[in-house]
């Protein structure tokens, strides 16, 4: 096991009805907040009324920034920073999914940064301060509610970049599985694929001698694969949603990568797709991850054998290592297929015309490599897009 230090200060408030406590938790930090949310869903589902009532009941005044779209853009971040500065707001409450939360994080950083907040995204400038912030999660997917990251797309050049910092853990995150009952199937599938990917980016590590972390990852993957089909069939199944939501949180809280190296190549390869084609991040991952696996599995094939045996129950007797690895990858593809995720870029209406451009963007034109399971160059990334076609 490699040395590590693990820090995750986000308080998780989990369970039925708990979004109505948003005001109480917010009031511990501020009485004047920016309320950030997305499109129509929040008002249509009644969550907006419940959260704003709880803020009023707790004596918290709020100014709204709404209309945050999936694959969130930079301009609304500037708008939010401007509002906070103008109205002396010192707390951000993000109510939504990864896009809303990441926008809230960027605003909370930008208010405290003396310069263009974009400097903190992919340019290596480290933030030193941020406003306090809280989250009410409405979709289990990105894991941003207790992650150290924020992902924003700059409109100019469609650059989708991350900022990572210990500062970015929210102070609290409220997770009520009942809020998931209104999710469209497309978002449930995409969210599930993202959760699975967050585990796999950590599971497929070159390191051995890391048994507890391996088994935590395997437990998370099996729990997700068991419960996601249940909520797709029965969208108001509280118990199954509770498992999915809790798995989504644990998957990206940092715990599942301890004592080993993370990979994140598939995420970086996917981010170019969702930046350029505006597809849901998780949907892109369902297509990219198997392609990445086919390209890299020979590097540390023992890990794919373990994945096949422990997650899919593959019997190995009489089979070659290659056969077992392919069976494991095909079992994963079958899972995606069974829950209705696409199997190829073509199914998403994407052809090879931008492969070169995306591979160049993902690797800084071969200025750096991606991943740790196998270090990928621009050409490798292009090959992986090809395998996903
Ligand atoms: O906009 P509205 O109308 O609210 O609809 C949203 C949105 O269209 C809808 N939705 C959310 N909760 C709902 C609901 N509809 C009905 N009922 C509900 N309860 O879902 C749609 C997708 O929302 P979004 O926030 O985009 O989803 P997600 O959580 O998947 O976030 C994706 C973003 O997070 C980034 C992705 O790249 C992408 O930009 N990520 C952030 C990470 C992080 N900060 O740690 C890590 C991830 O790997 C990821 O990269
Ligand atoms: Zn992700």
């Amino acid at each position: 096991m490699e040395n590590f230090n693990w820090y995750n200060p986000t308080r998780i408030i989990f369970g039925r009805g708990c979004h109505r406590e948003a005001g109480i938790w917010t009031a511990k930090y501020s009485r004047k907040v920016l309320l950030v949310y997305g499109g129509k869903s929040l008002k249509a589902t009644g969550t907006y009324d419940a959260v704003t009532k709880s803020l009023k009941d707790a004596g918290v005044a709020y100014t709204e920034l709404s209309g945050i779209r999936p694959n969130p853009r930079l301009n609304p971040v500037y708008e939010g920073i401007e509002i906070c500065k103008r109205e002396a707001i010192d707390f951000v409450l993000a109510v939504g999914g990864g896009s809303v939360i990441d926008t809230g994080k960027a605003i909370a950083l930008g208010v405290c940064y003396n310069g263009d907040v974009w400097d903190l995204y992919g340019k290596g400038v480290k933030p030193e301060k941020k406003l306090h912030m809280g989250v009410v999660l409405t979709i289990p997917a990105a894991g941003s509610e207790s992650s150290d990251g924020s992902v924003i797309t700059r409109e100019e050049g469609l650059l989708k970049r991350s900022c990572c910092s210990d500062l970015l853990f929210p102070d609290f995150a409220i997770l009520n599985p009942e809020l998931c009952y209104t999710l469209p199937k497309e978002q449930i599938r995409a969210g599930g694929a993202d959760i699975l990917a967050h585990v796999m980016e950590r599971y497929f590590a070159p390191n051995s001698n890391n048994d507890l972390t391996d088994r935590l990852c395997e437990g998370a993957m099996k729990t997700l694969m068991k419960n996601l089909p249940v909520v797709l069939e029965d969208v108001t199944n509280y118990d199954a949603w509770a498992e999915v939501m809790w798995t989504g949180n644990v998957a990206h809280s940092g715990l599942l990568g301890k004592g080993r190296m993370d990979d994140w190549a598939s995420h970086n390869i996917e981010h170019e797709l969702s930046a350029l084609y505006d597809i849901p991040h998780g949907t892109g991952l369902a297509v990219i991850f198997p392609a990445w696996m086919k390209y890299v599995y020979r590097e540390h094939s023992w890990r794919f054998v373990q994945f096949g045996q422990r997650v899919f129950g593959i019997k190995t007797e009489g089979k070659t290592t290659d056969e077992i690895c392919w069976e494991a990858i095909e079992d994963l593809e079958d899972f995606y297929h069974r829950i209705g995720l696409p199997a190829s870029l073509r199914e998403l209406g994407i052809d090879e015309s931008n492969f070169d451009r995306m591979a160049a963007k993902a690797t800084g034109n071969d200025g750096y490599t991606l991943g740790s399971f196998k270090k990928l160059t621009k050409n490798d990334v292009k090959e992986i897009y090809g395998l996903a076609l």
Side-chain angles (χ1 to χ4, degrees):
M1 198 184 298
E2 292 195 0
N3 293 1
F4 65 86
N5 87 52
W6 184 39
Y7 172 74
N8 188 323
T10 303
R11 177 191 298 277
I12 303 297
I13 301 132
F14 191 99
R16 292 181 196 271
C18 64
H19 63 299
R20 295 192 189 88
E21 296 170 25
I24 293 169
W25 288 102
T26 303
K28 293 181 192 296
Y29 297 89
S30 175
R31 300 278 165 169
K32 198 172 179 195
V33 310
L34 184 72
L35 175 66
V36 184
Y37 59 97
K40 294 194 177 106
S41 81
L42 204 73
K43 288 190 174 166
T45 57
T47 303
Y48 172 87
D49 286 342
V51 169
T52 52
K53 179 176 183 310
S54 82
L55 290 172
K56 286 174 201 153
D57 289 349
V60 176
Y62 56 90
T63 302
E64 299 186 18
L65 176 69
S66 64
I68 305 306
R69 40 161 298 176
N71 297 315
R73 305 295 155 129
L74 184 58
N75 279 331
V77 172
Y78 291 140
E79 203 185 323
I81 294 169
E82 177 58 35
I83 295 172
C84 289
K85 286 185 173 167
R86 193 175 62 230
E87 300 189 18
I89 286 172
D90 61 359
F91 186 93
V92 177
L93 181 65
V95 186
S99 300
V100 168
I101 302 166
D102 287 358
T103 301
K105 287 179 174 180
I107 293 167
L109 285 173
V111 173
C112 302
Y113 179 65
N114 198 8
D116 183 351
V117 67
W118 187 248
D119 295 346
L120 308 173
Y121 284 75
K123 288 191 184 173
V125 181
K126 285 286 164 203
E128 288 173 5
K129 209 171 162 230
K130 152 183 155 293
L131 297 184
H132 285 289
M133 81 173 279
V135 168
V136 179
L137 185 66
T138 63
I139 170 173
S144 183
E145 72 277 9
S146 64
S147 84
D148 64 352
S150 160
V151 189
I152 298 291
T153 301
R154 191 184 68 184
E155 292 81 351
E156 186 198 338
L158 291 175
L159 272 188
K160 187 171 189 177
R161 292 291 177 263
S162 311
C163 173
C164 277
S165 162
D166 280 353
L167 291 174
L168 283 175
F169 293 109
D171 294 282
F172 65 82
I174 295 179
L175 278 63
N176 176 359
E178 294 167 315
L179 301 191
C180 305
Y181 294 174
T182 52
L183 279 167
K185 284 200 167 151
E186 191 205 3
Q187 295 299 337
I188 300 175
R189 294 185 187 107
D194 195 17
I195 293 170
L196 199 52
H198 292 159
V199 183
M200 295 193 299
E201 294 281 18
R202 296 172 165 99
Y203 184 73
F204 288 98
N207 318 64
S208 50
N209 299 324
N210 203 197
D211 201 30
L212 175 64
T213 301
D214 277 1
R215 290 183 189 275
L216 289 172
C217 288
E218 288 152 5
M221 290 189 275
K222 287 169 85 161
T223 304
L224 194 272
M225 287 188 201
K226 179 179 165 195
N227 288 285
L228 200 71
V230 177
V231 298
L232 280 164
E233 276 296 308
D234 175 10
V235 81
T236 58
N237 187 319
Y238 180 86
D239 292 331
W241 268 125
E243 300 294 345
V244 171
M245 207 171 205
W246 182 222
T247 306
N249 183 264
V250 173
H252 206 35
S253 69
L255 173 66
L256 301 191
K258 291 299 145 271
R260 67 216 289 149
M261 292 164 87
D262 296 354
D263 192 77
W264 300 106
S266 300
H267 261 72
N268 285 303
I269 295 170
E270 191 297 312
H271 278 166
E272 298 305 332
L273 287 173
S274 47
L276 200 56
Y277 296 99
D278 214 4
I279 57 170
H281 166 63
T283 309
L285 282 168
V287 174
I288 292 298
F289 230 109
W292 173 84
M293 290 176 156
K294 290 169 192 168
Y295 195 72
V296 306
Y297 77 90
R298 286 190 189 85
E299 295 293 309
H300 309 279
S301 50
W302 65 270
R303 193 160 266 297
F304 280 82
V305 172
Q306 182 178 299
F307 173 65
Q309 284 181 303
R310 293 194 190 165
V311 177
F312 292 111
I314 291 175
K315 301 273 177 276
T316 57
E317 298 82 46
K319 295 174 190 165
T320 64
T321 299
D322 244 44
E323 284 169 343
I324 301 162
C325 293
W326 276 93
E327 196 175 329
I329 298 168
E330 280 163 15
D331 280 355
L332 177 67
E333 288 179 318
D334 276 356
F335 169 73
Y336 290 146
H337 182 71
R338 261 185 289 123
I339 63 167
L341 281 160
S344 67
L345 291 175
R346 281 215 178 87
E347 271 183 60
L348 291 166
I350 296 171
D351 66 16
E352 62 273 31
S353 52
N354 284 308
F355 286 180
D356 196 63
R357 178 180 167 204
M358 291 191 295
K361 274 171 79 189
T363 59
N365 215 0
D366 263 341
Y368 42 87
T369 57
L370 299 184
S372 61
F373 196 84
K374 175 178 169 67
K375 292 192 188 308
L376 303 173
T377 62
K378 175 186 163 191
N379 197 48
D380 295 323
V381 172
K382 221 172 133 182
E383 294 285 330
I384 290 170
Y385 284 129
L387 284 172
L389 196 57

